[in-house]
Amino acid sequence: MKLLFFCLLLVSMSVPAVAGNEKQIFELEAAIMQQQQEQQILFQRFQMLQELRRHEITQDLLHNPRLCRSGS
């Protein structure tokens, strides 16, 4: 009987801990998701700037062919 009471006591004490852990896991997953979204936005901005720079370089080369020559 004491063993049963002790087991029930342990189970009842672990339930709030599990709920707390689940809340922490949920909060961590939300924070990770937010970081991933911010990382994706930053990478998209980088790609956009990279493409704009490539276009700018191409335009410079088209309007100034002397830039294409190396060594002169």
Side-chain angles (χ1 to χ4, degrees):
M1 187 67 163
K2 288 182 182 179
L3 181 60
L4 179 61
F5 177 73
F6 182 70
C7 288
L8 288 173
L9 182 63
L10 283 178
V11 169
S12 67
M13 289 174 60
S14 66
V15 170
V18 169
N21 286 343
E22 288 178 3
K23 182 181 177 193
Q24 279 185 322
I25 290 171
F26 178 77
E27 290 172 352
L28 286 172
E29 286 175 343
I32 289 170
M33 192 180 313
Q34 182 177 357
Q35 286 292 327
Q36 288 173 337
Q37 288 173 345
E38 290 175 7
Q39 182 182 17
Q40 184 178 9
I41 289 168
L42 186 62
F43 185 68
Q44 287 172 345
R45 287 180 182 170
F46 165 75
Q47 287 178 315
M48 199 174 357
L49 287 172
Q50 188 178 39
E51 192 58 37
L52 287 170
R53 182 64 180 137
R54 282 186 188 135
H55 179 71
E56 184 180 90
I57 290 171
T58 302
Q59 292 301 314
D60 287 347
L61 292 175
L62 289 174
H63 290 102
N64 193 354
R66 288 183 285 157
L67 295 174
C68 293
R69 298 181 192 150
S70 58
S72 299

